Amino acid sequence: QVKKQCDQKLLIRVKTKCVPCSLNLDTQCPAGYTKITNGTGTPDCRYYLEIKTYTLSFPGCRHRCVKEFEQPECCQGYWGPDCMGK
């Protein structure tokens, strides 16, 4: 049996919205994603608060999330939806 399909594994990374670190403990990743940061997350962002005519900027935290995704692909020398070929 010759292998015609060589699916590629892709890792999709996303970050959650930047919020005050104290509020970030319970932040969830989008459905299907796995959280790879712990506790309050990574303090690498800023969030903004609008007060009347002013916009204030504060340091905040966010979580990193990953999702593994298999992209169907034909092995070299094969093509098409059914990986026909050679």
Side-chain angles (χ1 to χ4, degrees):
Q1 178 78 8
V2 177
K3 192 173 179 194
K4 298 177 186 177
Q5 188 137 355
C6 298
D7 293 346
Q8 295 292 317
K9 278 195 179 182
L10 300 175
L11 211 55
I12 302 168
R13 299 170 193 269
V14 296
K15 293 175 183 171
T16 59
K17 190 175 146 197
C18 190
V19 295
C21 295
S22 58
L23 300 178
N24 204 33
L25 276 168
D26 299 327
T27 299
Q28 298 300 312
C29 289
Y33 285 80
T34 305
K35 194 188 286 185
I36 57 170
T37 44
N38 298 318
T40 57
T42 312
D44 66 347
C45 62
R46 297 190 76 77
Y47 67 95
Y48 300 92
L49 206 57
E50 284 185 33
I51 300 171
K52 293 186 181 174
T53 56
Y54 297 101
T55 300
L56 303 175
S57 168
F58 297 98
C61 292
R62 57 189 172 179
H63 283 291
R64 296 173 195 273
C65 311
V66 293
K67 180 182 185 179
E68 204 171 78
F69 176 75
E70 279 214 358
Q71 183 170 326
E73 225 171 84
C74 298
C75 298
Q76 195 169 357
Y78 295 91
W79 63 87
D82 300 322
C83 295
M84 304 302 291
K86 294 218 178 193

